[in-house]
Amino acid sequence: MSILDKMVKDGDGRFWGFLGCRYIKGSNQEVQIALTAGEQHTNSMGIIHGGVLTSLMDQAMGMVATAAMEVDGCVTTNLNVHFLAPMRQGELIVTSSVLHQAGRSITTQSEVRDESGTLGCMATATFRVAKPRG
């Protein structure tokens, strides 16, 4: 079982499952996940809460970082988010990829798009190895 498959399998009873994330595809350089955003994901203005969008990107970037580093776990040490357009209820697709890798650190990027392709937000994050493989 790949590290990505293991993360998805173990995630159902964790924050992953609480949010309602779905794994689409992944490799050691790119991960794609999705969420069918519902009313429970919105804020008082009726748009998807920024914390939900940030959590989705952090999750996908953590997954690609873990796969790229070939370790059992990474932790976020820095996260920078840009909100570009309001996201509404419906399908959200998150794509994350590796930007730079050196030693025990890795920098990633992510974006969230809705089903029409509108770019809602983007982020970069740095991760550090927390659990070496083994």
Side-chain angles (χ1 to χ4, degrees), residues 66-82:
T66 299
M69 299 288 279
E70 297 181 352
V71 296
D72 288 332
C74 291
V75 293
T76 310
T77 60
N78 183 300
L79 178 63
N80 188 4
V81 178
H82 297 272

mmCIF file with all atom_site columns, all heavy atoms in Angstrom, residues 66-82:
data_model
loop_
_atom_site.group_PDB
_atom_site.id
_atom_site.type_symbol
_atom_site.label_atom_id
_atom_site.label_alt_id
_atom_site.label_comp_id
_atom_site.label_asym_id
_atom_site.label_entity_id
_atom_site.label_seq_id
_atom_site.pdbx_PDB_ins_code
_atom_site.Cartn_x
_atom_site.Cartn_y
_atom_site.Cartn_z
_atom_site.occupancy
_atom_site.B_iso_or_equiv
_atom_site.pdbx_formal_charge
_atom_site.auth_seq_id
_atom_site.auth_comp_id
_atom_site.auth_asym_id
_atom_site.auth_atom_id
_atom_site.pdbx_PDB_model_num
ATOM 1   N N   . THR A 1 66 ? 4.717  14.425 2.007  1.00 0.00 ? 66 THR A N   1
ATOM 2   C CA  . THR A 1 66 ? 4.995  13.120 2.611  1.00 0.00 ? 66 THR A CA  1
ATOM 3   C C   . THR A 1 66 ? 5.406  12.111 1.545  1.00 0.00 ? 66 THR A C   1
ATOM 4   O O   . THR A 1 66 ? 6.368  11.359 1.716  1.00 0.00 ? 66 THR A O   1
ATOM 5   C CB  . THR A 1 66 ? 3.769  12.631 3.395  1.00 0.00 ? 66 THR A CB  1
ATOM 6   O OG1 . THR A 1 66 ? 3.485  13.581 4.429  1.00 0.00 ? 66 THR A OG1 1
ATOM 7   C CG2 . THR A 1 66 ? 3.997  11.275 4.013  1.00 0.00 ? 66 THR A CG2 1
ATOM 8   N N   . ALA A 1 67 ? 4.700  12.113 0.417  1.00 0.00 ? 67 ALA A N   1
ATOM 9   C CA  . ALA A 1 67 ? 5.025  11.186 -0.672 1.00 0.00 ? 67 ALA A CA  1
ATOM 10  C C   . ALA A 1 67 ? 6.385  11.516 -1.287 1.00 0.00 ? 67 ALA A C   1
ATOM 11  O O   . ALA A 1 67 ? 7.193  10.622 -1.550 1.00 0.00 ? 67 ALA A O   1
ATOM 12  C CB  . ALA A 1 67 ? 3.931  11.217 -1.737 1.00 0.00 ? 67 ALA A CB  1
ATOM 13  N N   . ALA A 1 68 ? 6.650  12.790 -1.510 1.00 0.00 ? 68 ALA A N   1
ATOM 14  C CA  . ALA A 1 68 ? 7.910  13.200 -2.139 1.00 0.00 ? 68 ALA A CA  1
ATOM 15  C C   . ALA A 1 68 ? 9.110  12.907 -1.249 1.00 0.00 ? 68 ALA A C   1
ATOM 16  O O   . ALA A 1 68 ? 10.174 12.509 -1.740 1.00 0.00 ? 68 ALA A O   1
ATOM 17  C CB  . ALA A 1 68 ? 7.868  14.686 -2.486 1.00 0.00 ? 68 ALA A CB  1
ATOM 18  N N   . MET A 1 69 ? 8.936  13.105 0.059  1.00 0.00 ? 69 MET A N   1
ATOM 19  C CA  . MET A 1 69 ? 10.035 12.876 1.001  1.00 0.00 ? 69 MET A CA  1
ATOM 20  C C   . MET A 1 69 ? 10.184 11.399 1.351  1.00 0.00 ? 69 MET A C   1
ATOM 21  O O   . MET A 1 69 ? 11.159 11.011 1.989  1.00 0.00 ? 69 MET A O   1
ATOM 22  C CB  . MET A 1 69 ? 9.815  13.691 2.283  1.00 0.00 ? 69 MET A CB  1
ATOM 23  C CG  . MET A 1 69 ? 9.752  15.199 2.083  1.00 0.00 ? 69 MET A CG  1
ATOM 24  S SD  . MET A 1 69 ? 11.330 15.928 1.710  1.00 0.00 ? 69 MET A SD  1
ATOM 25  C CE  . MET A 1 69 ? 12.015 16.059 3.348  1.00 0.00 ? 69 MET A CE  1
ATOM 26  N N   . GLU A 1 70 ? 9.193  10.586 0.951  1.00 0.00 ? 70 GLU A N   1
ATOM 27  C CA  . GLU A 1 70 ? 9.185  9.151  1.252  1.00 0.00 ? 70 GLU A CA  1
ATOM 28  C C   . GLU A 1 70 ? 9.352  8.897  2.751  1.00 0.00 ? 70 GLU A C   1
ATOM 29  O O   . GLU A 1 70 ? 10.217 8.133  3.187  1.00 0.00 ? 70 GLU A O   1
ATOM 30  C CB  . GLU A 1 70 ? 10.254 8.419  0.443  1.00 0.00 ? 70 GLU A CB  1
ATOM 31  C CG  . GLU A 1 70 ? 10.016 8.496  -1.045 1.00 0.00 ? 70 GLU A CG  1
ATOM 32  C CD  . GLU A 1 70 ? 11.047 7.758  -1.874 1.00 0.00 ? 70 GLU A CD  1
ATOM 33  O OE1 . GLU A 1 70 ? 12.065 7.288  -1.314 1.00 0.00 ? 70 GLU A OE1 1
ATOM 34  O OE2 . GLU A 1 70 ? 10.836 7.666  -3.090 1.00 0.00 ? 70 GLU A OE2 1
ATOM 35  N N   . VAL A 1 71 ? 8.495  9.585  3.520  1.00 0.00 ? 71 VAL A N   1
ATOM 36  C CA  . VAL A 1 71 ? 8.508  9.457  4.980  1.00 0.00 ? 71 VAL A CA  1
ATOM 37  C C   . VAL A 1 71 ? 7.104  9.110  5.462  1.00 0.00 ? 71 VAL A C   1
ATOM 38  O O   . VAL A 1 71 ? 6.160  9.076  4.672  1.00 0.00 ? 71 VAL A O   1
ATOM 39  C CB  . VAL A 1 71 ? 9.006  10.764 5.652  1.00 0.00 ? 71 VAL A CB  1
ATOM 40  C CG1 . VAL A 1 71 ? 10.458 11.032 5.274  1.00 0.00 ? 71 VAL A CG1 1
ATOM 41  C CG2 . VAL A 1 71 ? 8.124  11.957 5.286  1.00 0.00 ? 71 VAL A CG2 1
ATOM 42  N N   . ASP A 1 72 ? 6.976  8.858  6.754  1.00 0.00 ? 72 ASP A N   1
ATOM 43  C CA  . ASP A 1 72 ? 5.662  8.529  7.315  1.00 0.00 ? 72 ASP A CA  1
ATOM 44  C C   . ASP A 1 72 ? 4.890  9.752  7.782  1.00 0.00 ? 72 ASP A C   1
ATOM 45  O O   . ASP A 1 72 ? 3.722  9.643  8.131  1.00 0.00 ? 72 ASP A O   1
ATOM 46  C CB  . ASP A 1 72 ? 5.813  7.535  8.472  1.00 0.00 ? 72 ASP A CB  1
ATOM 47  C CG  . ASP A 1 72 ? 6.189  6.146  7.977  1.00 0.00 ? 72 ASP A CG  1
ATOM 48  O OD1 . ASP A 1 72 ? 5.838  5.807  6.832  1.00 0.00 ? 72 ASP A OD1 1
ATOM 49  O OD2 . ASP A 1 72 ? 6.834  5.406  8.732  1.00 0.00 ? 72 ASP A OD2 1
ATOM 50  N N   . GLY A 1 73 ? 5.516  10.924 7.801  1.00 0.00 ? 73 GLY A N   1
ATOM 51  C CA  . GLY A 1 73 ? 4.780  12.108 8.201  1.00 0.00 ? 73 GLY A CA  1
ATOM 52  C C   . GLY A 1 73 ? 5.612  13.379 8.136  1.00 0.00 ? 73 GLY A C   1
ATOM 53  O O   . GLY A 1 73 ? 6.812  13.368 8.389  1.00 0.00 ? 73 GLY A O   1
ATOM 54  N N   . CYS A 1 74 ? 4.941  14.467 7.737  1.00 0.00 ? 74 CYS A N   1
ATOM 55  C CA  . CYS A 1 74 ? 5.537  15.808 7.704  1.00 0.00 ? 74 CYS A CA  1
ATOM 56  C C   . CYS A 1 74 ? 4.625  16.753 8.469  1.00 0.00 ? 74 CYS A C   1
ATOM 57  O O   . CYS A 1 74 ? 3.420  16.504 8.584  1.00 0.00 ? 74 CYS A O   1
ATOM 58  C CB  . CYS A 1 74 ? 5.637  16.319 6.267  1.00 0.00 ? 74 CYS A CB  1
ATOM 59  S SG  . CYS A 1 74 ? 6.808  15.464 5.232  1.00 0.00 ? 74 CYS A SG  1
ATOM 60  N N   . VAL A 1 75 ? 5.205  17.834 8.978  1.00 0.00 ? 75 VAL A N   1
ATOM 61  C CA  . VAL A 1 75 ? 4.398  18.864 9.642  1.00 0.00 ? 75 VAL A CA  1
ATOM 62  C C   . VAL A 1 75 ? 4.585  20.190 8.915  1.00 0.00 ? 75 VAL A C   1
ATOM 63  O O   . VAL A 1 75 ? 5.660  20.480 8.387  1.00 0.00 ? 75 VAL A O   1
ATOM 64  C CB  . VAL A 1 75 ? 4.751  19.017 11.140 1.00 0.00 ? 75 VAL A CB  1
ATOM 65  C CG1 . VAL A 1 75 ? 4.371  17.779 11.917 1.00 0.00 ? 75 VAL A CG1 1
ATOM 66  C CG2 . VAL A 1 75 ? 6.224  19.337 11.333 1.00 0.00 ? 75 VAL A CG2 1
ATOM 67  N N   . THR A 1 76 ? 3.537  20.985 8.900  1.00 0.00 ? 76 THR A N   1
ATOM 68  C CA  . THR A 1 76 ? 3.577  22.305 8.278  1.00 0.00 ? 76 THR A CA  1
ATOM 69  C C   . THR A 1 76 ? 4.375  23.246 9.169  1.00 0.00 ? 76 THR A C   1
ATOM 70  O O   . THR A 1 76 ? 4.084  23.372 10.354 1.00 0.00 ? 76 THR A O   1
ATOM 71  C CB  . THR A 1 76 ? 2.152  22.861 8.103  1.00 0.00 ? 76 THR A CB  1
ATOM 72  O OG1 . THR A 1 76 ? 1.328  21.879 7.481  1.00 0.00 ? 76 THR A OG1 1
ATOM 73  C CG2 . THR A 1 76 ? 2.157  24.139 7.288  1.00 0.00 ? 76 THR A CG2 1
ATOM 74  N N   . THR A 1 77 ? 5.358  23.925 8.587  1.00 0.00 ? 77 THR A N   1
ATOM 75  C CA  . THR A 1 77 ? 6.119  24.920 9.348  1.00 0.00 ? 77 THR A CA  1
ATOM 76  C C   . THR A 1 77 ? 5.820  26.339 8.884  1.00 0.00 ? 77 THR A C   1
ATOM 77  O O   . THR A 1 77 ? 6.109  27.294 9.598  1.00 0.00 ? 77 THR A O   1
ATOM 78  C CB  . THR A 1 77 ? 7.639  24.663 9.254  1.00 0.00 ? 77 THR A CB  1
ATOM 79  O OG1 . THR A 1 77 ? 8.037  24.726 7.886  1.00 0.00 ? 77 THR A OG1 1
ATOM 80  C CG2 . THR A 1 77 ? 7.985  23.307 9.848  1.00 0.00 ? 77 THR A CG2 1
ATOM 81  N N   . ASN A 1 78 ? 5.257  26.481 7.693  1.00 0.00 ? 78 ASN A N   1
ATOM 82  C CA  . ASN A 1 78 ? 4.896  27.795 7.166  1.00 0.00 ? 78 ASN A CA  1
ATOM 83  C C   . ASN A 1 78 ? 3.792  27.589 6.149  1.00 0.00 ? 78 ASN A C   1
ATOM 84  O O   . ASN A 1 78 ? 3.851  26.662 5.342  1.00 0.00 ? 78 ASN A O   1
ATOM 85  C CB  . ASN A 1 78 ? 6.117  28.444 6.498  1.00 0.00 ? 78 ASN A CB  1
ATOM 86  C CG  . ASN A 1 78 ? 5.823  29.828 5.993  1.00 0.00 ? 78 ASN A CG  1
ATOM 87  O OD1 . ASN A 1 78 ? 4.955  30.018 5.153  1.00 0.00 ? 78 ASN A OD1 1
ATOM 88  N ND2 . ASN A 1 78 ? 6.556  30.799 6.489  1.00 0.00 ? 78 ASN A ND2 1
ATOM 89  N N   . LEU A 1 79 ? 2.786  28.463 6.175  1.00 0.00 ? 79 LEU A N   1
ATOM 90  C CA  . LEU A 1 79 ? 1.661  28.367 5.246  1.00 0.00 ? 79 LEU A CA  1
ATOM 91  C C   . LEU A 1 79 ? 1.237  29.766 4.847  1.00 0.00 ? 79 LEU A C   1
ATOM 92  O O   . LEU A 1 79 ? 0.958  30.601 5.710  1.00 0.00 ? 79 LEU A O   1
ATOM 93  C CB  . LEU A 1 79 ? 0.495  27.617 5.910  1.00 0.00 ? 79 LEU A CB  1
ATOM 94  C CG  . LEU A 1 79 ? -0.794 27.448 5.125  1.00 0.00 ? 79 LEU A CG  1
ATOM 95  C CD1 . LEU A 1 79 ? -0.578 26.609 3.876  1.00 0.00 ? 79 LEU A CD1 1
ATOM 96  C CD2 . LEU A 1 79 ? -1.853 26.787 6.010  1.00 0.00 ? 79 LEU A CD2 1
ATOM 97  N N   . ASN A 1 80 ? 1.216  30.041 3.545  1.00 0.00 ? 80 ASN A N   1
ATOM 98  C CA  . ASN A 1 80 ? 0.867  31.359 3.026  1.00 0.00 ? 80 ASN A CA  1
ATOM 99  C C   . ASN A 1 80 ? -0.291 31.187 2.048  1.00 0.00 ? 80 ASN A C   1
ATOM 100 O O   . ASN A 1 80 ? -0.148 30.482 1.050  1.00 0.00 ? 80 ASN A O   1
ATOM 101 C CB  . ASN A 1 80 ? 2.084  31.974 2.328  1.00 0.00 ? 80 ASN A CB  1
ATOM 102 C CG  . ASN A 1 80 ? 1.866  33.400 1.922  1.00 0.00 ? 80 ASN A CG  1
ATOM 103 O OD1 . ASN A 1 80 ? 0.845  33.992 2.215  1.00 0.00 ? 80 ASN A OD1 1
ATOM 104 N ND2 . ASN A 1 80 ? 2.829  33.950 1.213  1.00 0.00 ? 80 ASN A ND2 1
ATOM 105 N N   . VAL A 1 81 ? -1.422 31.827 2.328  1.00 0.00 ? 81 VAL A N   1
ATOM 106 C CA  . VAL A 1 81 ? -2.641 31.639 1.536  1.00 0.00 ? 81 VAL A CA  1
ATOM 107 C C   . VAL A 1 81 ? -3.068 32.959 0.897  1.00 0.00 ? 81 VAL A C   1
ATOM 108 O O   . VAL A 1 81 ? -3.010 34.011 1.532  1.00 0.00 ? 81 VAL A O   1
ATOM 109 C CB  . VAL A 1 81 ? -3.798 31.103 2.421  1.00 0.00 ? 81 VAL A CB  1
ATOM 110 C CG1 . VAL A 1 81 ? -5.076 30.956 1.611  1.00 0.00 ? 81 VAL A CG1 1
ATOM 111 C CG2 . VAL A 1 81 ? -3.404 29.798 3.066  1.00 0.00 ? 81 VAL A CG2 1
ATOM 112 N N   . HIS A 1 82 ? -3.516 32.862 -0.355 1.00 0.00 ? 82 HIS A N   1
ATOM 113 C CA  . HIS A 1 82 ? -4.086 34.006 -1.069 1.00 0.00 ? 82 HIS A CA  1
ATOM 114 C C   . HIS A 1 82 ? -5.497 33.625 -1.510 1.00 0.00 ? 82 HIS A C   1
ATOM 115 O O   . HIS A 1 82 ? -5.671 32.667 -2.265 1.00 0.00 ? 82 HIS A O   1
ATOM 116 C CB  . HIS A 1 82 ? -3.250 34.350 -2.311 1.00 0.00 ? 82 HIS A CB  1
ATOM 117 C CG  . HIS A 1 82 ? -1.861 34.764 -1.985 1.00 0.00 ? 82 HIS A CG  1
ATOM 118 N ND1 . HIS A 1 82 ? -1.514 36.056 -1.707 1.00 0.00 ? 82 HIS A ND1 1
ATOM 119 C CD2 . HIS A 1 82 ? -0.725 34.026 -1.870 1.00 0.00 ? 82 HIS A CD2 1
ATOM 120 C CE1 . HIS A 1 82 ? -0.227 36.122 -1.445 1.00 0.00 ? 82 HIS A CE1 1
ATOM 121 N NE2 . HIS A 1 82 ? 0.277  34.893 -1.524 1.00 0.00 ? 82 HIS A NE2 1
#
